[in-house]
Amino acid sequence: MAEDLRQGLCAAAADFYQRGWMLGTAGNLSARSAPDRFWITASGRPKDRLTLQDFVEMDLAGQVHSAPDGRRPSAEACIHQAIYRQVPDARVIYHVHSVEANLCGHFATDGLLRLPPLEMLKGLGVAVAEPRVDLPVFPNFVEVPQIAAAMERSFAQALPHVPGALIHLHGVTAWGRDRTAARHHLELLEYCFRYLVQAKLLAIGA
């Protein structure tokens, strides 16, 4: 089962690399291997050619349980820990660095980005016409544990209305009950970001 999880994450990373969302060694992906453990991409690995040896298994407290020689968890593993602790239904998490996501951070107000009221939001669990939905936007602290702590505090009070969050000038994180759901959520958020960027260029809704 664990091997299948890693193989699926390898395929997802290669896909996201081709889309320009995980260039260089940017971004990270994870999947629960047990209720209190998950596999996550190792630090500094190129995402277009990951292998099973490019993953580390750790628990929700940050303890590493399995790691190939020379591999250490992604520096952003604490963000995944925070989400898994606060979102029981999250079984797969994708964190990518797209251009549009980073542009949209500039459109946020008071830590919230208003998503466009599109039909696409139904795929994120918002099944109403022309909804008013905000995506949380967190500061990009230099120390990543500060980002994770801010996210966990926020989620402990109330989970986002959609399965995702944005880190300003950093990237977007999306999650789901499996790889397919997490990918759909990420794709739909990225669609919203592209829409918002184009709307700004065309002065729609200004």
Side-chain angles (χ1 to χ4, degrees):
M1 179 179 178
E3 182 171 321
D4 290 343
L5 290 174
R6 289 177 289 171
Q7 288 173 337
L9 294 176
C10 288
D15 177 21
F16 299 155
Y17 177 89
Q18 291 298 322
R19 301 184 195 215
W21 296 351
M22 300 189 87
L23 299 182
T25 63
N28 37 81
L29 309 93
S30 72
R32 285 192 200 253
S33 52
D36 63 343
R37 293 191 185 187
F38 61 97
W39 287 105
I40 188 167
T41 41
S43 179
R45 307 307 300 164
K47 300 306 186 296
D48 59 328
R49 50 182 183 272
L50 293 178
T51 72
L52 301 187
Q53 299 304 304
D54 291 320
F55 293 87
V56 174
E57 188 181 35
M58 58 193 305
D59 62 30
L60 300 189
Q63 179 70 36
V64 173
H65 290 271
S66 177
D69 289 343
R71 299 289 189 263
R72 55 189 174 83
S74 165
E76 293 161 350
C78 54
I79 293 175
H80 294 246
Q81 291 168 236
I83 295 170
Y84 284 132
R85 283 195 292 257
Q86 296 299 324
V87 188
D89 291 342
R91 297 194 60 81
V92 175
I93 298 172
Y94 294 150
H95 171 72
V96 302
H97 297 182
S98 70
V99 172
E100 290 85 357
N102 284 322
L103 288 172
C104 283
H106 294 290
F107 308 154
T109 302
D110 297 327
L112 297 171
L113 174 68
R114 175 58 51 87
L115 296 177
L118 305 173
E119 176 75 10
M120 304 289 279
L121 292 188
K122 287 184 178 179
L124 295 169
V126 183
V128 297
E130 298 190 14
R132 296 172 63 85
V133 178
D134 293 319
L135 184 73
V137 181
F138 296 94
N140 185 30
F141 297 110
V142 174
E143 298 296 331
V144 179
Q146 288 184 264
I147 303 173
M151 192 175 290
E152 187 150 19
R153 286 193 301 270
S154 175
F155 290 4
Q157 294 179 2
L159 292 179
H161 292 294
V162 296
L166 193 62
I167 302 171
H168 184 55
L169 293 176
H170 183 148
V172 63
T173 304
W175 54 87
R177 64 183 182 276
D178 54 31
R179 292 192 304 269
T180 299
R183 177 171 61 83
H184 286 169
H185 297 158
L186 179 61
E187 288 175 336
L188 294 174
L189 286 172
E190 288 287 349
Y191 181 94
C192 289
F193 299 153
R194 292 197 300 276
Y195 179 97
L196 288 172
V197 170
Q198 289 297 313
K200 285 286 184 181
L201 290 172
L202 297 172
I204 294 174

